[in-house]
Amino acid sequence: MCGIIGLYHPTENVSGEIYDALIQVQHRGQDAAGIATWDTKKLSLHKELGVVTEAFKTAESLALDGNVGIGHVRYPTAGCSDVSEAQPFHSSNPVNICLAHNGTLTNSDEMKKFLLDTHFCQFNTQSDSEVLLNLFAYELSRIKFDVLQNNHVFEALKEVYKRCEGGFAVTMIVGGVGLVAFRDPNGIRPLALGKNHNGSYLLASESSAITSLGFEVLKDVKPGEAIIINCDGSLEEKHL
């Protein structure tokens, strides 16, 4: 069990609110915490071992620019207790992608071997979350595009769903697109979506984190559903 957050704000940096949201899901994981943000050009990331207040002790650790961001608190179900295993995880190929994952891939070893054999992926951890990140990056890299569009992300996720087994809920930054969230076809891991009066969207493992920050709960992300919140604030949902 881990806790994940995703936040879009029309204009302002989101790292502070993600910090507050992570406090609300702290009970879901106390091994490590991390936040990543995106400002349309650059990805910023900070993660550390310990609870949220320990991982973000200084103002500098929260000085992450960007109006799109994700957060994670870790309860280790795979890998070891080392900061390298802390999330979010990042890849820059074929575009900047940053992923926060709650769940367990039951065929992680099989997927890792597939990626090593076919895509020559490099893995820095024993985490199944890094496998999921690299699998999405691989499927996205197979799509020919000049400008990345929502349909390319949905197409890559459809292939991820075909290959992955187990339970997963994910929030993800995809450079050039925005905030992406998706949930396993069986709905094993929870994920809820909220919105507030200024046009911000918040995704969280528990709806209580949404209401505690003054957002209105819109829905639970449906099993097998993917949601994209674009950089302009528009939202698109698709069942995969």
Side-chain angles (χ1 to χ4, degrees):
M1 182 174 72
C2 296
I4 61 172
I5 298 294
L7 181 59
Y8 163 86
H9 192 287
T11 57
E12 297 178 5
N13 288 344
V14 295
S15 58
E17 274 195 290
I18 293 176
Y19 175 94
D20 292 339
L22 288 177
I23 293 291
Q24 299 301 317
V25 296
Q26 180 70 89
H27 57 283
R28 298 185 65 88
Q30 300 179 0
D31 182 70
I35 296 173
T37 60
W38 175 254
D39 68 356
T40 75
K41 295 179 181 177
K42 178 177 68 94
L43 185 83
S44 300
L45 173 64
H46 178 84
K47 53 186 178 179
E48 190 55 80
L49 294 179
V51 296
V52 177
T53 53
E54 293 172 338
F56 295 90
K57 288 181 179 178
T58 65
E60 289 76 15
S61 63
L62 272 173
L64 307 173
D65 293 332
N67 68 314
V68 176
I70 60 175
H72 187 272
V73 289
R74 180 174 186 254
Y75 177 89
T77 57
C80 59
S81 293
D82 184 89
V83 70
S84 66
E85 304 277 346
Q87 297 186 45
F89 287 131
H90 170 246
S91 173
S92 57
N93 182 26
V95 297
N96 274 299
I97 305 165
C98 208
L99 172 145
H101 165 228
N102 170 36
T104 302
L105 301 186
T106 55
N107 63 338
S108 176
D109 290 343
E110 176 187 334
M111 288 298 96
K112 190 171 186 177
K113 183 179 186 305
F114 165 78
L115 289 167
L116 287 168
D117 291 345
T118 62
H119 197 48
F120 306 106
C121 281
Q122 290 187 335
F123 290 91
N124 300 308
T125 74
Q126 298 300 312
S127 173
D128 57 346
S129 304
E130 190 184 19
V131 174
L132 184 56
L133 168 68
N134 279 293
L135 180 59
F136 172 75
Y138 165 71
E139 295 296 350
L140 195 61
S141 72
R142 296 177 63 202
I143 300 170
K144 292 183 172 27
F145 58 83
D146 295 321
V147 178
L148 185 61
Q149 304 286 343
N150 288 6
N151 62 296
H152 301 132
V153 174
F154 287 134
E155 186 178 341
L157 284 176
K158 187 177 290 187
E159 296 304 313
V160 169
Y161 274 53
K162 289 178 182 177
R163 295 187 186 277
C164 284
E165 298 174 3
F168 49 88
V170 172
T171 54
M172 189 164 59
I173 296 169
V174 178
V177 171
L179 180 62
V180 179
F182 58 96
R183 192 177 178 203
D184 66 84
N186 295 311
I188 296 171
R189 300 297 183 177
L191 190 61
L193 172 69
K195 186 179 183 180
N196 74 3
H197 57 87
N198 65 14
S200 297
Y201 286 97
L202 177 61
L203 290 138
S205 295
E206 298 180 12
S207 60
S208 58
I210 294 173
T211 55
S212 68
L213 268 68
F215 285 69
E216 176 189 357
V217 176
L218 296 179
K219 58 180 283 186
D220 287 328
V221 178
K222 297 174 184 175
E225 183 178 48
I227 294 174
I228 296 177
I229 302 166
N230 295 289
C231 293
D232 63 1
S234 58
L235 183 146
E236 185 174 356
E237 304 166 315
K238 190 167 186 177
H239 186 79
L240 302 174

